């Protein structure tokens, strides 16, 4: 059956395959003139198809809709690929921006820490009294440097001796032990100040302790350099860096007004207990390593 609207041959279908017209209603009236109400009730696609068909029914071949559909699908697939590539480019650009921001932040933190380090090195105790919560990050960075430099010292020493298990026994174990010692020192100071019922800020406590540890970083740097020259000087500088930890612990505690209340134990004994605990941890964790290095220092090979 031929559609009276678009002249498309539909066979025995009830609706036109091209424009969607009802063929059963249009059979009796070949050239219907739709009024405003019927046009409004027709679907949008039907009205659009009827308009397009009447304007180009003489020149459009029967396979035009399929060709246009294929072209539309091709344009959609091309647009999807372009959109995906644009999304990948935007994500790559965002990752580059984030990485650049992290690099800039790391550079800014390094510059700030370097200026902080140089200012503290001249007067560590006086600077310790003026630091606040904003310097807690510098305190943690100083303790991290102490842990890494001390582990580097043992790693270089063991490699020169030719010992086995360099990375685990010469780097990871001293690194872990030094971190435990530093964290135990902070925990003991925190406990003593709590027992003394002194108001303080934990971040400020970390900043104060880290400020007094700055000379220990310099001592460890020199210890790593003097391994090549003399084991005796290097081991002495290593011992000085650990002594500074005890000095820093006591200096931070005694700058607070201790023994203001009638506590169960005098402040002198509480500070002494803290020192004994830190020394015991140091001896148990690093005692064997340090004693072995001292023996090496006393040997003829260590007196170079």
């Amino acid at each position: 059956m031929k559609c009276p609207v678009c002249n498309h041959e539909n066979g025995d279908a009830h609706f036109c395959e091209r424009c969607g017209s009802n063929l059963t209603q249009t059979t009796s009236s070949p050239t219907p003139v739709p009024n405003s109400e019927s046009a409004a009730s027709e679907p949008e696609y039907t009205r659009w198809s009827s308009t397009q068909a009447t304007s180009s029914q003489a020149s459009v071949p029967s396979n035009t809709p399929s060709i246009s559909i294929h072209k539309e699908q091709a344009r959609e697939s091309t647009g999807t690929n372009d959109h995906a590539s644009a999304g990948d480019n935007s994500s790559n650009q965002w990752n580059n921006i984030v990485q650049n921001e992290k690099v800039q932040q790391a550079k800014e933190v390094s510059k700030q820490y370097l200026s902080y380090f140089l200012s503290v090195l001249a007067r560590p105790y006086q600077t310790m009294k003026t630091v606040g919560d904003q310097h807690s990050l510098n305190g943690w960075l100083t303790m991290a440097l102490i842990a890494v430099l001390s582990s580097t010292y043992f790693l270089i020493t063991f490699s020169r001796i030719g010992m086995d298990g360099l990375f685990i026994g010469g780097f990871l174990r001293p690194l872990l032990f030094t971190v435990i010692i530093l964290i135990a020192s902070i925990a003991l100071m925190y406990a003593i100040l709590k027992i003394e019922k002194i108001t303080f800020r934990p971040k400020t406590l970390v900043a104060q302790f880290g400020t007094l540890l700055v000379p220990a970083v310099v001592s460890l740097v020199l210890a790593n350099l003097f391994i090549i020259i003399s084991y005796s000087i290097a081991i002495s500088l290593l011992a000085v860096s650990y002594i500074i930890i005890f000095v820093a612990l006591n200096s931070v505690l005694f700058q607070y007004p201790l023994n203001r209340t009638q506590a169960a134990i005098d402040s002198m004994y509480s500070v002494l207990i803290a020192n004994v605990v830190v020394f015991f941890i140091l001896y148990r964790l690093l005692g064997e390593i340090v004693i072995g290095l001292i023996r090496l220092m006393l040997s003829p090979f260590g007196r170079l």
Side-chain angles (χ1 to χ4, degrees), residues 192-270:
I192 291 174
L193 294 178
K194 281 294 185 181
I195 293 173
E196 295 287 337
K197 297 180 181 180
I198 296 175
T199 303
F200 67 98
R201 300 177 68 88
K203 289 185 178 181
T204 303
L205 185 67
V206 172
Q208 292 172 342
F209 185 61
T211 300
L212 294 178
L213 292 178
V214 168
V217 176
V218 178
S219 179
L220 286 170
V221 171
L222 295 176
N224 283 277
L225 294 176
F226 272 95
I227 293 176
I228 304 174
I229 302 174
S230 173
Y231 280 111
S232 59
I233 298 176
I235 192 64
S236 300
L237 291 170
L238 178 69
V240 168
S241 64
Y242 285 106
I243 292 173
I244 292 175
I245 296 177
F246 289 92
V247 175
L249 185 147
N250 292 276
S251 300
V252 171
L253 286 176
F254 281 112
Q255 63 98 23
Y256 285 96
L258 300 178
N259 205 22
R260 295 188 305 172
T261 60
Q262 296 297 327
I265 184 174
D266 190 78
S267 301
M268 177 68 184
Y269 296 113
S270 60

Side-chain angles (χ1 to χ4, degrees), residues 128-172:
M128 182 266 296
K129 294 181 178 181
T130 60
V131 295
D133 293 355
Q134 68 274 14
H135 297 95
S136 61
L137 178 60
N138 295 328
W140 288 116
L141 289 175
T142 302
M143 286 184 275
L145 286 175
I146 291 175
V148 172
L149 289 173
S150 60
S151 302
T152 305
Y153 174 86
F154 291 114
L155 180 63
I156 296 174
T157 303
F158 289 169
S159 63
R160 287 177 61 86
I161 298 173
M163 296 181 62
D164 297 330
L166 287 178
F167 185 71
I168 297 176
F171 186 80
L172 289 182

Side-chain angles (χ1 to χ4, degrees), residues 67 114 167 170 257:
I67 296 175
L114 181 60
F167 185 71

Side-chain angles (χ1 to χ4, degrees), residues 166-189:
L166 287 178
F167 185 71
I168 297 176
F171 186 80
L172 289 182
R173 187 176 297 174
L175 178 67
L176 179 62
F177 292 166
T178 306
V179 170
I180 292 174
I181 292 169
L182 294 172
I183 293 178
S185 301
I186 296 175
L188 288 169
M189 289 187 294

Side-chain angles (χ1 to χ4, degrees), residues 9-215:
E9 188 67 31
N10 297 282
D12 296 332
H14 294 284
F15 295 90
C16 180
E17 295 176 354
R18 178 184 295 176
C19 65
S21 300
N22 193 340
L23 301 178
T24 58
Q25 294 180 358
T26 58
T27 303
S28 58
S29 56
T31 57
V33 179
N35 54 19
S36 60
E37 294 180 355
S38 62
S41 62
E42 288 181 10
E44 186 68 23
Y45 176 76
T46 303
R47 295 198 304 271
W48 178 86
S49 301
S50 301
T51 306
Q52 294 295 110
T54 53
S55 62
S56 59
Q57 58 181 356
S59 60
V60 177
S62 61
N63 59 349
T64 301
S66 60
I67 296 175
S68 61
I69 291 174
H70 290 304
K71 290 183 179 180
E72 185 68 24
Q73 291 178 351
R75 286 196 296 269
E76 289 179 356
S77 61
T78 305
T80 303
N81 294 330
D82 294 339
H83 181 71
S85 61
D88 294 337
N89 293 331
S90 61
S91 62
N92 292 332
Q93 292 177 358
W94 174 253
N95 292 331
N96 293 331
I97 292 173
V98 172
Q99 291 177 359
N100 292 332
E101 288 181 354
K102 290 182 179 179
V103 171
Q104 294 298 328
Q105 290 176 358
K107 290 181 179 179
E108 187 66 24
V109 171
S110 301
K111 291 179 181 179
Q112 292 178 358
Y113 181 77
L114 181 60
S115 60
Y116 158 84
F117 186 90
L118 295 176
S119 63
V120 169
L121 188 60
R123 297 179 177 274
Y125 186 75
Q126 292 183 3
T127 308
M128 182 266 296
K129 294 181 178 181
T130 60
V131 295
D133 293 355
Q134 68 274 14
H135 297 95
S136 61
L137 178 60
N138 295 328
W140 288 116
L141 289 175
T142 302
M143 286 184 275
L145 286 175
I146 291 175
V148 172
L149 289 173
S150 60
S151 302
T152 305
Y153 174 86
F154 291 114
L155 180 63
I156 296 174
T157 303
F158 289 169
S159 63
R160 287 177 61 86
I161 298 173
M163 296 181 62
D164 297 330
L166 287 178
F167 185 71
I168 297 176
F171 186 80
L172 289 182
R173 187 176 297 174
L175 178 67
L176 179 62
F177 292 166
T178 306
V179 170
I180 292 174
I181 292 169
L182 294 172
I183 293 178
S185 301
I186 296 175
L188 288 169
M189 289 187 294
Y190 182 89
I192 291 174
L193 294 178
K194 281 294 185 181
I195 293 173
E196 295 287 337
K197 297 180 181 180
I198 296 175
T199 303
F200 67 98
R201 300 177 68 88
K203 289 185 178 181
T204 303
L205 185 67
V206 172
Q208 292 172 342
F209 185 61
T211 300
L212 294 178
L213 292 178
V214 168

